Each structure stands twice: as structure tokens, then as C-alpha cells.
Amino acid sequence: MGNSFEAVKITDDVYWVGAIDWAIRDFHGYHTGRGSTYNAYLILADKVTLMDTVKSPFFEEMMGRIRSVIDPAKIDYLISNHSEMDHSGSIRQTIATIQPEQVFASPMGAKALVEHFHLSQEITPVKDGETLSLGNRTLTFLETRMLHWPDSMVSYLAEEQLLFSQDGFGMHLATSERFADEIPSDILEFEGAKYYANILLPYSALVLKLAKRIEELGLRFSIIAPDHGPIWRKNPEKIIGLYVRWAEQKPGNRAVVAFDSMWGSTELMARSVADGLAGEGTKTKVLNLRASHRSDLPTEVLGAGALLVGSPTLNNGIFPTLADNLCYLKGLKPQNLIGGAFGSYGWSGESVKQLEALLKEMGVDVACDGLRIKYVPDQQALAQSREWGAAVARQLKGRLGI
Ligand code: FEO
């Protein structure tokens, strides 16, 4: 009987044996519009090693790919770089099937795997900087705590200069192509930025620390093989450079206007505010939060210099879409933003002050007093909205020194 799935050769001794999740559209609250992959890798060294597993429903796909190159019973070692269930969800079945001699994880990973899966299999903890001989190959482990969980580590295969980077340098992108050089660069940059903004942004200081450590250790990479999305085999420095840029969060001359509207008045204001920003030469993106997903806002905010939020007053408060989006964005800890709040109101009009308070809680520097317009904005109110947007743009440019 033939095999339904085939492994993909990365080097003479390393194969991709992961799974493609074409259908996933919600990854713990993040809209994955192009699906994802769960990458696992097989190293055909003297000690045959499986690097990570896949999300539980994809166990058979991974096993099929493994069987296309080797009898799974020949796998000696299993390494878990990260215990989140998209990578370890099938670890119990994998251990039962391949019966590895040893399973390795970081010290926190070893604990997390036992606590998640109540494993009877002993997990061998490997320390930061520790090496493991595979006979003719050597793996070195580097702990990368909080990138993306406290248990996270990466594994470096010295002889191939290949970094198994786990969540780092990844993206949610399902493709039939396995290598980044086979995929249009605009798609890579968009999905990479979206993934960074929604998963790793709060840990940006740690990303910069890791980049520095890689440099200090003098590690060279011919290939970066993450656990999601394509493998970087040509110019792997590109994804490292993008990560450093995203982690630095340097504000650009770019603004995001995010709003919701009840009867269209706050929307009219949003459009004029955006026109005022753009008129000052500030690139502006308008997001109607009713028509976008909460994971779109951090994607747009990444690299922006200003965040302007608009809401009408509903039952003495802000619209639920604003509460939802700003709660989610706050958790991602965006830095270096100026901002402001606006909205139409009928009688009580609390929304603008509440939005300003939320912006301040997020560490956004509220650059201009909030703008409130009663009921439906007339031409004068729209001109005032436009000027308010222009004033924020001038503040931003002043701070950027342009
Ligand atoms: Fe892909 Fe943090 O799991």
C-alpha cells in the first residue's frame, strides 16, 4: 500500500515531516486567514531524532511522512522544543508509537509536558547551552523563555548550521511550498508581521536579547526551520532582520484610525480624521472594527506612530468592539505610540474620556485632547475632525523629527 503523505527533504539528513492545516481560521483568538502548518523534522543521524510533533488531529499525517523515509520504530530520540499543544498535542501517541529511547525538553518543558499530558514516560531536561551527540551530528539547545512560553527552547544542528527555531521566525501560512524562497515576499512579510504582532510583540525585549546572543555566540545559519510556515534556506538573515525591526517598534510616520459607529456619525468623523492625517503626509489606515478581526488591529499598529480610536457613546460607555479590540491590543503591549480619541454622542457622551483612559492604560501618549461631536457632524464639525487628525499628524512628525 502506498503512503498518503511524503516527507520533504531539507538537507541530505534532515526532512520535514509536519502537517498542513489548510482550514484553520482561528488560532487561539488570532484570525489565521491563510491557515497554518505544524512543522516537525526528522534528523537521520546515527541517533535518529524527531524534532517536535504536530497538533493532535494531524498525528497520522506526520506518521505518514515519517514512514515515507524510515520505519518510525527506528527513531531513537524525540525532542520537544515547546510544550504548547500545536506542537506537543500528539506527543503521547507519538511516544506510544515510536517508543523512543529518550525524550528531551528544557527543564520547564519537561515539567510542562508531564503536567499537560500526565505522561509516564520520563522526560530528560536539557539545560541552556547543553549539547547532545547524535553520533555523527550534534545538537545544541538554547533556552528561549517566553518565546513563546516559559518552556520554549531552540535546537541548533551544528554540522548543517540549521536552527530549529520553534515558534520563533515562524508565521501562520499554509502553502504547498515548504521554502520561503518559493513564496512571494509580500505574503511572507505580511503574514510574518501579523504573526509577530499577535504572538511575540509582548516579548520584543527578549527577541532583541536573543538576536544579540546569537550574534555574540557567533552562530551561523544556513537554514532556519521554524514550527510554523516556510523554512528559510536562502538568506535566512532576512527573517532575523525583520524580527529585529518588528521588535524594535520604532514608530513610523503612519497612523491607524480604529472606530465603530452606531448611525454613521463616528464613521464620518473617522473618515475626516484620516483625511487630515493623510493631508499632512502621514500614511493612514482606517479600520472599521465591526468589519475587521481583533487580530487586524495589532498587525496595523506594528510600526505605526499613532493610534486614533473612535466610538459613539452606548449606554454611558464605549462600543463593545472598542472594548474587545483595545483589551486584546493592551495585552500585546505595543510601544512608542501617540494617540487620541474621538466620537459622536447624543446626550451623555462618556465614550471619548473612557477611550482616552484606555489609551493611557496601554501606555499610549495621548497627544491631543479628545474630540466629541454632538449627534450628526455637519460640514463645520467634519472640518474640525479633519483639523484634529492633521494636528495629531503634526505632533507625530514633530516627535519623529520630520
Ligand atoms: Fe506554535 Fe506557542 O505554539
Side-chain angles (χ1 to χ4, degrees):
M1 195 173 74
N3 210 340
S4 312
F5 297 103
E6 294 279 333
V8 176
K9 194 172 186 173
I10 300 174
T11 70
D12 285 347
D13 305 316
V14 180
Y15 287 79
W16 175 84
V17 292
I20 306 172
D21 191 347
W22 294 98
I24 189 168
R25 291 294 178 269
D26 186 318
F27 192 97
H28 59 48
Y30 159 1
H31 180 247
T32 45
R34 287 187 168 105
S36 192
T37 67
Y38 314 112
N39 298 336
Y41 300 95
L42 188 64
I43 307 170
L44 299 182
D46 292 342
K47 286 287 189 186
V48 177
T49 301
L50 178 61
M51 186 68 65
D52 286 319
T53 67
V54 293
K55 199 173 177 179
S56 168
F58 297 89
F59 170 71
E60 286 302 338
E61 181 171 339
M62 176 186 76
M63 292 310 296
R65 294 193 199 279
I66 292 171
R67 277 194 297 270
S68 74
V69 282
I70 197 170
D71 173 359
K74 292 197 169 134
I75 295 172
D76 300 291
Y77 292 160
L78 170 59
I79 290 164
S80 171
N81 283 316
H82 181 19
S83 53
E84 193 164 9
M85 286 178 282
D86 45 334
H87 311 295
S88 66
S90 59
I91 200 163
R92 182 188 271 279
Q93 292 161 284
T94 306
I95 290 170
T97 306
I98 67 177
Q99 302 198 345
E101 193 180 308
Q102 274 185 286
V103 181
F104 300 91
S106 72
M108 291 189 83
K111 281 188 203 158
L113 288 174
V114 170
E115 285 166 3
H116 259 88
F117 302 105
H118 313 289
L119 300 174
S120 52
Q121 165 86 34
E122 190 182 329
I123 312 290
T124 306
V126 288
K127 292 197 184 79
D128 183 51
E130 192 170 329
T131 58
L132 173 70
S133 171
L134 309 181
N136 59 340
R137 295 283 183 271
T138 315
L139 280 172
T140 304
F141 305 106
L142 294 181
E143 277 193 77
T144 53
R145 288 188 191 187
M146 295 317 298
L147 300 174
H148 154 235
W149 275 11
D151 53 81
S152 295
M153 67 175 191
V154 297
S155 302
Y156 181 62
L157 188 64
E159 293 82 0
E160 317 264 3
Q161 295 192 328
L162 195 162
L163 181 73
F164 298 102
S165 62
Q166 177 253 126
D167 276 348
F169 309 124
M171 67 187 69
H172 288 310
L173 176 59
T175 48
S176 53
E177 300 80 13
R178 293 279 60 78
F179 298 99
D181 52 274
E182 300 170 317
I183 299 167
S185 60
D186 56 337
I187 292 177
L188 295 174
E189 290 201 22
F190 176 80
E191 293 298 345
K194 185 172 187 184
Y195 178 94
Y196 188 89
N198 281 278
I199 307 268
L200 295 169
L201 188 66
Y203 313 114
S204 289
L206 297 173
V207 170
L208 294 175
K209 213 166 145 185
L210 177 65
K212 197 167 171 215
R213 190 167 178 216
I214 286 170
E215 204 178 311
E216 283 167 1
L217 289 171
L219 292 182
R220 293 280 170 269
F221 304 129
S222 298
I223 298 171
I224 292 181
D227 274 0
H228 296 291
I231 297 157
W232 298 79
R233 66 179 171 185
K234 286 186 186 165
N235 189 18
E237 294 77 22
K238 178 175 172 169
I239 189 68
I240 297 177
L242 286 170
Y243 262 58
V244 168
R245 192 178 90 202
W246 295 326
E248 284 174 339
Q249 295 192 68
K250 283 190 187 151
N253 187 17
R254 198 155 65 70
V256 180
V257 179
F259 75 96
D260 201 345
S261 197
M262 196 186 308
W263 289 104
S265 294
T266 301
E267 179 164 15
L268 287 172
M269 290 177 74
R271 294 172 67 165
S272 292
V273 165
D275 207 58
L277 284 153
E280 288 287 334
T282 297
K283 280 189 200 297
T284 301
K285 181 83 176 198
V286 178
L287 275 187
N288 180 338
L289 298 179
R290 192 92 63 92
S292 64
H293 189 270
R294 70 173 71 85
S295 52
D296 294 333
L297 181 59
T299 310
E300 296 299 340
V301 162
L302 187 67
L307 171 62
L308 303 156
V309 287
S311 172
T313 296
L314 174 69
N315 300 329
N316 306 109
I318 58 174
F319 244 46
T321 41
L322 271 296
D324 175 330
N325 276 265
L326 293 180
C327 170
Y328 180 70
L329 185 63
K330 183 184 171 193
L332 295 168
K333 301 183 174 69
Q335 306 289 312
N336 306 323
L337 290 165
I338 67 166
F342 63 92
S344 153
Y345 70 106
W347 46 100
S348 58
E350 293 92 338
S351 68
V352 169
K353 283 283 171 225
Q354 291 180 17
L355 286 175
E356 283 182 337
L358 284 172
L359 289 175
K360 285 175 187 166
E361 272 178 38
M362 286 168 54
V364 175
D365 184 0
V366 176
C368 290
D369 286 343
L371 179 65
R372 296 194 318 159
I373 300 291
K374 194 162 188 189
Y375 288 121
V376 178
D378 59 12
Q379 282 308 312
Q380 191 185 351
L382 291 177
Q384 195 185 349
S385 301
R386 192 181 186 284
E387 174 48 31
W388 186 81
V392 175
R394 288 193 292 272
Q395 283 259 5
L396 174 61
K397 289 192 294 179
R399 292 179 193 212
L400 297 175
I402 53 177

